[in-house]
């Protein structure tokens, strides 16, 4: 990805990416896809599977809005915070049970409104609070300890590791491990195996009826409630809303994106080497264009993110970010 200002290329973002089908055929690759990367929040739709598969979602009468929120990196707007607190209340829990930590809303109007009221952010404002509420709902339903659910040895996290092993086909017992921003473990997975995982999520027909139903339920929730997966002025909301179920995409920190294409049975994984999100967003748009899935509606919703025009504080157009995909290399 090149960032052009005036007549000169000012910056370059290198993006590694893979496209794979659910059978494990690597269709396209760009760059190094064998090196493990932390998938961060991009893997949330798969992390949400135990919440649905365990029966916890049904037990707490989870709506599409709450299932989408369980996969979200939200912006801390009232729509998100109110949904989290109402969901916790229905579970007989409170914000104090969330172990994700607190931070200010990432959506500036929400941040300013909170400050104007003289309030401090709580854990409900954390972009991962929906995911953590899903963790708590699962632990409560299965009679597991509520405290310490963020730790790797807790049943909630061990269940997620097993699901990731099923979807990636890897033994993750020796995978690189770090701690995510919301304090849960994040495991290092090569991009080719990440593409396989999200392709199996896109086309779960070989995974058994129960798991397939859970994947379809999460896909439907995200497509129906795109505002909950992210929020205002976010590519995830624009993409998932305009694609109408043809693409289910999720961003992660440090320039990671995963996208499931249910109609084609494909998965896309990518990471910007320098960790910037803007390069990954432009690359995702280019890859979706290459795969022939972009519609006029998607372009209208997404081009501000995937083909951005750079403006200065006076509103003058000063440059643009352009995707330049090298010839994709299939496996072999």
């Amino acid at each position: 990805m090149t960032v052009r200002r005036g007549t000169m290329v000012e910056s370059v973002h290198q993006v590694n990416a893979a496209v794979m089908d659910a059978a494990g055929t690597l269709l396209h690759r760009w760059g190094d896809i064998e090196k493990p990367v932390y998938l961060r929040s991009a893997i949330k739709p798969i992390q949400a599977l135990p919440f649905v598969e365990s029966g916890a979602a049904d037990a707490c009468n989870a709506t599409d809005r709450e299932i989408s929120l369980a996969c979200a990196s939200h912006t801390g707007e009232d729509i998100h915070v109110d949904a989290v607190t109402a969901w916790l209340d229905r579970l007989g829990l409170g914000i104090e049970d969330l172990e994700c930590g607190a931070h200010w809303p990432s959506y500036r109007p929400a941040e300013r409104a909170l400050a104007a009221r003289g309030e401090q952010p709580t854990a409900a404002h954390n972009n991962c609070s929906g995911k953590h509420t899903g963790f708590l709902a699962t632990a409560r339903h299965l009679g597991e300890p509520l405290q310490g659910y963020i730790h790797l040895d807790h049943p909630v996290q061990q269940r997620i590791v097993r699901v990731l092993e099923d979807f990636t086909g890897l033994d993750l017992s020796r995978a690189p491990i770090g701690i995510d921003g919301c304090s849960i473990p994040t495991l290092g997975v090569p991009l080719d195996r990440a593409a396989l995982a999200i392709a199996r999520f896109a086309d779960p027909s070989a995974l058994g009826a129960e798991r397939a139903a859970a994947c379809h339920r999460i896909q439907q929730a995200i497509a129906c409630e795109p505002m909950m997966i992210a929020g205002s002025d976010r590519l995830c909301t624009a993409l998932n809303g305009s694609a109408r179920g043809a693409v289910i995409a999720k961003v992660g920190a440090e320039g990671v994106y995963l996208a499931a294409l249910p109609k084609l049975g494909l998965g896309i994984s990518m990471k910007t080497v320098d960790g910037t999100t803007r390069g990954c967003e432009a690359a995702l748009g280019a890859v979706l264009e290459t795969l022939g899935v972009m519609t006029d509606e998607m372009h209208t919703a997404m081009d501000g993110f995937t083909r951005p025009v750079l403006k200065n504080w006076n509103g003058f157009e000063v440059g643009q970010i352009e995707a330049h995909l090298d010839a994709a290399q299939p496996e072999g």
Side-chain angles (χ1 to χ4, degrees), residues 223 226 235-247 293-302:
L235 176 58
C236 281
T237 294
L239 196 168
N240 288 299
S242 62
R244 299 182 180 274
V247 183
V293 300
M294 291 291 288
T295 64
D296 289 344
E297 182 180 0
M298 290 172 68
H299 273 301
T300 299
M302 294 169 53

Side-chain angles (χ1 to χ4, degrees), residues 15 26 43 142 157 166 173 176 187 198 221 248 268 271 274 326:
V15 180
L26 182 62
I43 201 67
L142 296 176
Q157 300 304 328
D166 290 345
S173 61
L187 303 179
I198 204 66
I248 304 296
I268 302 169
K271 181 177 184 345
D274 63 8
D326 296 332

Side-chain angles (χ1 to χ4, degrees), residues 159-173:
R159 199 175 294 112
I160 289 171
V161 172
R162 292 195 295 271
V163 169
L164 289 175
E165 288 182 331
D166 290 345
F167 276 74
T168 61
L170 295 173
D171 175 1
L172 296 175
S173 61

Side-chain angles (χ1 to χ4, degrees), residues 87-313:
W87 186 6
L88 286 168
D89 185 65
R90 203 167 72 245
L91 292 169
L93 302 173
I95 294 172
E96 65 277 6
D97 292 297
L98 296 172
E99 298 182 357
C100 52
H103 64 71
W104 288 92
S106 60
Y107 184 55
R108 292 298 298 276
E111 178 189 44
R112 289 194 293 265
L114 189 65
R117 296 195 297 267
E119 299 176 11
Q120 292 291 315
T122 71
H125 293 90
N126 186 298
N127 73 99
C128 296
S129 61
K131 176 179 71 174
H132 281 246
T133 304
F135 291 162
L136 285 167
T138 304
R140 166 145 289 189
H141 175 65
L142 296 176
E144 296 165 352
L146 299 184
Q147 292 187 338
Y149 68 83
I150 59 174
H151 300 305
L152 182 60
D153 60 356
H154 192 281
V156 163
Q157 300 304 328
Q158 283 297 303
R159 199 175 294 112
I160 289 171
V161 172
R162 292 195 295 271
V163 169
L164 289 175
E165 288 182 331
D166 290 345
F167 276 74
T168 61
L170 295 173
D171 175 1
L172 296 175
S173 61
R174 296 186 178 180
I177 184 167
I179 302 299
D180 215 327
C182 68
S183 295
I184 72 163
T186 181
L187 303 179
V189 175
L191 283 174
D192 57 350
R193 293 306 185 102
L196 173 62
I198 204 66
R200 287 173 169 172
F201 174 77
D203 175 14
S205 56
L207 303 181
E210 183 177 340
R211 175 151 287 176
C215 290
H216 290 312
R217 187 173 178 184
I218 293 171
Q219 292 171 22
Q220 173 185 307
I222 294 172
C224 290
E225 296 287 350
M227 184 65 179
M228 303 308 290
I229 196 71
S232 300
D233 298 335
R234 292 281 300 282
L235 176 58
C236 281
T237 294
L239 196 168
N240 288 299
S242 62
R244 299 182 180 274
V247 183
I248 304 296
K250 182 68 186 69
V251 70
E254 296 297 325
V256 179
Y257 243 106
L258 296 180
L261 281 60
K263 293 181 179 179
L264 298 179
L266 301 180
I268 302 169
S269 65
M270 57 177 55
K271 181 177 184 345
T272 314
V273 174
D274 63 8
T276 57
T277 298
R278 69 178 185 178
C280 212
E281 290 182 337
L284 179 60
V287 172
L288 291 173
E289 192 75 63
T290 296
L291 296 175
V293 300
M294 291 291 288
T295 64
D296 289 344
E297 182 180 0
M298 290 172 68
H299 273 301
T300 299
M302 294 169 53
D303 280 359
F305 301 95
T306 60
R307 299 177 176 179
V309 173
L310 304 181
K311 296 183 179 181
N312 67 12
W313 293 111

